[in-house]
Amino acid sequence: MALSTRILSKSRQLCGSQSILQKENTIPVRFYAKEAAAPVANKGDEILKNIFLEVKAKYETALGIFRKEKITIDPDDPAAVSQYAKVMKTVRQKADLFSESQRIQYTIQIRAQDVPDARTYLLTLKDIRIKRGLTDDLGAEAMMMNALDKVEKEIKKPLMRNDKQSMALLTAEFDKINKKLGIRKEDLPKYEEQLELKIANAQLEELKKDAFEAMETQKKREEFKDEAMPDVKSLDMRNFL
């Protein structure tokens, strides 16, 4: 059961990233007299109903795909990781969910849209990266901060984001950094695919760990004590849904 619960939680997480039900939106219990006429639908009721139906539809769509597609729990096999990433991409497309890069972009838009200066903006991007569990293997952040230091030294004041002329200087410095690191705008889809593969590998690692824990728990039961536990790779996740 632990493994099936984990698998189901993945689709719940995908659907949950789209809609959040806050406490202030809950509807109080109503009491009606027998003689009262049928109540007029409350606007809040309709909003919650629509949210529920949307989340339910997304969840069922995701679950339907998981029941059809074979997933091999083997994070050490590039083919298995690629297949899992492909399934998750299909889930996102069919259920109209954000990809990881889209979630990051949305988070940046929400958290950084009102940041007035370039330094705080870059620090906000760093905080978002860390909280998303991403690494800066190329050292790009340090290079960007150095570029900002250079521009602010040149203009002799903090760089504000509404200062178009000075921001153009920073953008030019960033272009030099991208060129030095071999990062091209046209390669962004490739970088997104690499990110999704990295995430798929991490999620398969979690599933593998949960499967081992579930089997170890099962093995402790008297009726399964003498039975050999199957290889995690041989498990068909569809049988647990």
Side-chain angles (χ1 to χ4, degrees):
M1 287 300 294
L3 178 59
S4 59
T5 301
R6 180 63 179 166
I7 297 168
L8 288 170
S9 72
K10 286 296 177 187
S11 56
R12 288 193 183 99
Q13 289 169 14
L14 288 170
C15 296
S17 66
Q18 300 293 305
S19 302
I20 300 174
L21 302 180
Q22 298 180 341
K23 290 182 179 178
E24 56 266 27
N25 289 330
T26 57
I27 303 301
V29 176
R30 296 185 179 86
F31 298 93
Y32 298 100
K34 291 182 180 179
E35 297 80 11
V40 178
N42 184 283
K43 188 175 181 180
D45 290 342
E46 284 299 316
I47 291 175
L48 286 178
K49 177 183 176 182
N50 291 336
I51 291 175
F52 170 78
L53 292 176
E54 180 183 356
V55 173
K56 181 173 179 287
K58 290 177 184 294
Y59 174 75
E60 290 178 346
T61 298
L63 197 57
I65 294 171
F66 288 138
R67 283 176 174 149
K68 292 179 182 178
E69 300 288 346
K70 186 174 189 313
I71 293 173
T72 302
I73 308 176
D74 187 3
D76 299 319
D77 180 5
V81 174
S82 178
Q83 170 63 11
Y84 179 75
K86 181 181 177 181
V87 172
M88 298 305 288
K89 183 176 181 178
T90 300
V91 168
R92 290 194 300 271
Q93 291 174 339
K94 297 293 185 181
D96 192 24
L97 303 172
F98 280 165
S99 66
E100 179 65 16
S101 60
Q102 289 172 327
R103 280 196 291 270
I104 293 172
Q105 185 178 16
Y106 177 75
T107 303
I108 292 172
Q109 290 174 347
I110 295 300
R111 287 193 53 191
Q113 61 182 347
D114 295 325
V115 173
D117 63 287
R119 187 171 299 276
T120 303
Y121 183 85
L122 291 181
L123 291 174
T124 300
L125 297 187
K126 181 179 180 179
D127 183 61
I128 292 172
R129 174 186 65 76
I130 293 173
K131 288 183 177 179
R132 299 301 300 185
L134 303 175
T135 57
D136 179 22
D137 298 326
L138 298 176
E141 283 177 349
M143 295 182 187
M144 292 166 71
M145 278 297 186
N146 289 337
L148 176 59
D149 290 339
K150 178 181 177 181
V151 171
E152 289 188 335
K153 184 177 180 180
E154 182 178 339
I155 64 177
K156 297 181 175 60
K157 61 180 181 180
L159 176 55
M160 307 305 289
R161 293 176 65 201
N162 61 0
D163 184 348
K164 294 183 179 180
Q165 185 174 355
S166 298
M167 283 297 295
L169 296 176
L170 184 62
T171 300
E173 292 296 326
F174 284 175
D175 288 341
K176 293 177 184 177
I177 293 172
N178 288 335
K179 186 175 181 179
K180 180 179 180 179
L181 296 176
I183 298 174
R184 302 185 304 168
K185 189 174 182 179
E186 54 267 34
D187 291 334
L188 290 180
K190 180 181 71 175
Y191 301 139
E192 180 174 358
E193 182 180 350
Q194 291 173 350
L195 174 60
E196 297 300 339
L197 285 173
K198 185 176 181 180
I199 293 169
N201 182 271
Q203 290 182 347
L204 282 180
E205 286 282 5
E206 291 180 20
L207 287 173
K208 181 179 179 179
K209 179 182 176 183
D210 289 339
F212 271 124
E213 290 177 354
M215 288 190 292
E216 285 298 319
T217 300
Q218 195 85 335
K219 194 174 181 180
K220 293 176 182 178
R221 297 175 60 180
E222 187 65 28
E223 60 267 38
F224 297 107
K225 187 171 62 175
D226 298 326
E227 290 191 20
M229 291 294 104
D231 187 344
V232 174
K233 302 175 194 175
S234 67
L235 297 175
D236 191 334
M237 288 172 50
R238 293 170 294 186
N239 295 329
F240 297 90
L241 299 176

